[in-house]
């Protein structure tokens, strides 16, 4: 079969590698793609992920059998609905279900209504009311812009002054654009964070192996929030007890709640969990694979991904046993120095060939571009160097060793991805 992937980052490269491995896939396409994806798929860099008409036309022209919509923006914007309306088969939630990620106020209200454990909160449309609420609230406190904000619309405020400034930033100065027309103010929680991704067919949910991201730009979780600087999988903190709790109170409850609301969810639900002293709580939902979570999770999945996708679309996921390798993986993001604020692009990347010869090592491209000079840097996050190992320590040593194989000007990475595993 022929499959079109929508997206062009490290996550989409990992998805492309999994699809390429499938016995059922003959040909891969990707819009817009990147230089790494282009090694295994035909890419069309001129089509952006929000150009729905062009994507539909391209999918029809190439007569693809399946379209995999990977990023949040087109999912929340309703690309799956458009593809289906054009008679194409698509993987991902429709617009009315992708709201699970698209509106934090929606997801918080859903959790409250269906008793799914999460932080206490209030929603505000009016900045004056938000400011008045803060006067009597406990600090620290968490402010969240309602809509999509490139993963950056969350402010953790330690003092009343900071919180007031945050309300101004989100609702009045509109730092996150229209995402800040509405705001959630939420209780501050403490604990370890774990990401659990799952496949969902509308009724049945099957969780994948756990992972942990590192969102801050600098070592020791310092610096600004980024899209993610590295991941490891599985998380040693995601114990059997935690899994049992989440199975009982969170996973199926979320899928059932969406169905009860007439918003049947088919696709991937990403549960951002915090393991608080009072038990696991949902920090956030995403309606898609995480980036760079996909890089460490998919490379450990034993199933043919097309079988799982089909089961999600056809509502037969109960017949699938998801299986993961009994090992570990670590992904270290190589970024351009200065990310996430400002950085230069266009530097030649050397040493990529080595990954073609080594099993259990992957170089997932995020921001790269093919030019006459070769493959050059083309974004903040450039590559996701990923390696497997028999356990987390070995995987981490392998991944960091492989970061040395690649060179480019202004190469930057965190040196402590997976350090938490030493405390496990
Ligand atoms: P989110 O985009 O909702 O996952 O938030 C981004 C990050 O902010 C999370 O990964 C947490 O580190 C932090 N965060 C979000 N909500 C809370 C909360 N209620 N308490 C403490 N930290 C939070
Ligand atoms: N790595 C976090 C995300 O994809 O949202």
């Amino acid at each position: 079969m022929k499959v079109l992937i929508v997206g062009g980052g490290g996550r989409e490269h990992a998805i492309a590698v999994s699809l390429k491995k499938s016995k059922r896939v003959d040909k891969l396409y990707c819009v817009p793609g990147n230089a790494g994806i282009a090694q295994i798929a035909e890419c069309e860099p001129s089509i952006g992920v929000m150009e729905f008409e062009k994507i539909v036309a391209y999918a029809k022209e190439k007569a693809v059998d399946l379209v995999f919509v990977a990023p949040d923006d087109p999912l929340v914007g309703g690309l799956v609905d458009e593809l289906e309306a054009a008679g194409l088969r698509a993987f991902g939630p429709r617009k009315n279900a992708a709201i699970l990620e698209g509106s934090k106020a929606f997801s918080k209200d859903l959790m409250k209504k269906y008793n799914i454990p999460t932080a206490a909160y209030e929603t505000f449309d009016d900045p004056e009311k938000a400011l008045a609420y803060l006067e009597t609230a406990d600090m620290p406190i968490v402010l969240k812009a309602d809509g999509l904000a490139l993963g950056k619309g969350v402010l953790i405020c330690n003092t009343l002054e900071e919180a007031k400034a945050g309300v101004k930033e989100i609702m009045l100065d509109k730092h996150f654009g229209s995402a800040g027309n509405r705001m959630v103010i939420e209780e501050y929680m403490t604990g370890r964070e774990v990401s659990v991704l799952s496949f969902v067919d509308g009724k049945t949910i099957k969780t994948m192996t756990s992972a942990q991201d590192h969102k801050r730009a600098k070592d020791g979780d310092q610096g600004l929030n980024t899209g993610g600087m590295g991941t490891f999988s599985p998380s040693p903190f995601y114990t059997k007890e935690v899994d049992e709790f989440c199975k009982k109170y969170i996973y199926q409850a979320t899928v059932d709640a969406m169905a009860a609301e007439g918003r049947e969810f088919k696709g991937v639900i990403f549960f951002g969990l915090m393991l608080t002293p009072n038990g696991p709580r949902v920090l956030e939902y995403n309606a898609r694979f995480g980036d760079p979570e996909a890089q460490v999770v998919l490379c450990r999945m034993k199933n043919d991904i097309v079988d799982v996708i089909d089961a999600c679309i056809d509502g037969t996921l109960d017949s699938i046993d998801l299986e993961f390798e009994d090992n570990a993986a670590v992904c270290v993001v190589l970024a351009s120095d200065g990310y996430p604020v400002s950085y230069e692009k266009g530097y030649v990347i050397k040493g990529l060939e080595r990954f073609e010869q080594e099993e259990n090592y992957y170089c997932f491209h995020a921001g790269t571009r093919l030019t006459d000079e070769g493959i050059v840097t083309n974004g903040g996050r450039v590559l996701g160097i990923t390696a497997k190992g028999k356990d987390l320590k070995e995987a981490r040593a392998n991944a960091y060793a492989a970061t040395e194989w690649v060179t480019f000007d202004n190469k930057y990475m965190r040196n402590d991805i997976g350090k938490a595993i030493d405390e496990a």
Side-chain angles (χ1 to χ4, degrees), residues 213 227 286 288 290-293:
D213 193 5
N286 295 315
R288 53 173 173 82
D291 187 347
E293 282 85 351

Side-chain angles (χ1 to χ4, degrees), residues 226-396:
T226 70
M229 293 300 292
T231 36
F232 59 82
S233 170
S235 164
F237 307 103
Y238 191 78
T239 58
K240 205 159 158 282
E241 290 70 38
V242 172
D243 186 55
E244 275 165 12
F245 180 95
C246 295
K247 284 203 166 101
K248 198 162 167 198
Y249 297 107
I250 296 177
Y251 302 144
Q252 190 66 47
T254 300
V255 175
D256 293 346
M258 290 298 280
E261 293 293 310
R263 297 173 181 275
E264 187 182 60
F265 193 106
K266 291 184 175 202
V268 171
I269 300 183
F270 167 142
F271 297 85
L273 303 172
M274 188 171 264
L275 310 181
T276 77
N278 301 319
R281 299 282 181 270
V282 178
L283 275 175
E284 63 159 350
Y285 293 117
N286 295 315
R288 53 173 173 82
F289 273 101
D291 187 347
E293 282 85 351
Q295 288 85 321
V296 285
V297 168
L298 283 177
C299 69
R300 300 182 49 233
M301 189 167 91
K302 291 189 193 171
N303 305 68
D304 186 317
I305 191 169
V306 179
D307 292 342
V308 185
I309 291 172
D310 270 348
C312 288
I313 299 175
D314 297 333
T316 56
L317 192 60
D318 57 344
S319 66
I320 298 266
D321 278 323
L322 278 188
E323 286 186 284
F324 287 84
E325 292 169 4
D326 183 20
N327 56 11
V330 170
C331 170
V332 180
V333 169
L334 301 186
S336 303
D337 199 10
Y339 172 73
V341 182
S342 64
Y343 48 85
E344 293 161 9
K345 300 182 193 178
Y347 294 115
V348 175
I349 307 171
K350 296 211 179 89
L352 293 168
E353 324 71 55
R354 173 120 181 232
F355 288 90
E356 286 158 31
Q357 291 129 39
E358 306 269 359
E359 225 180 297
N360 296 327
Y361 290 83
Y362 307 83
C363 176
F364 296 118
H365 290 226
T368 64
R369 195 164 65 86
L370 184 61
T371 67
D372 293 341
E373 290 170 88
I375 293 177
V376 302
T377 63
N378 192 41
R381 290 192 291 177
V382 179
L383 301 168
I385 304 298
T386 305
K388 295 200 271 198
K390 67 176 188 303
D391 54 22
L392 285 162
K393 284 192 176 161
E394 189 179 283
R396 178 176 56 183

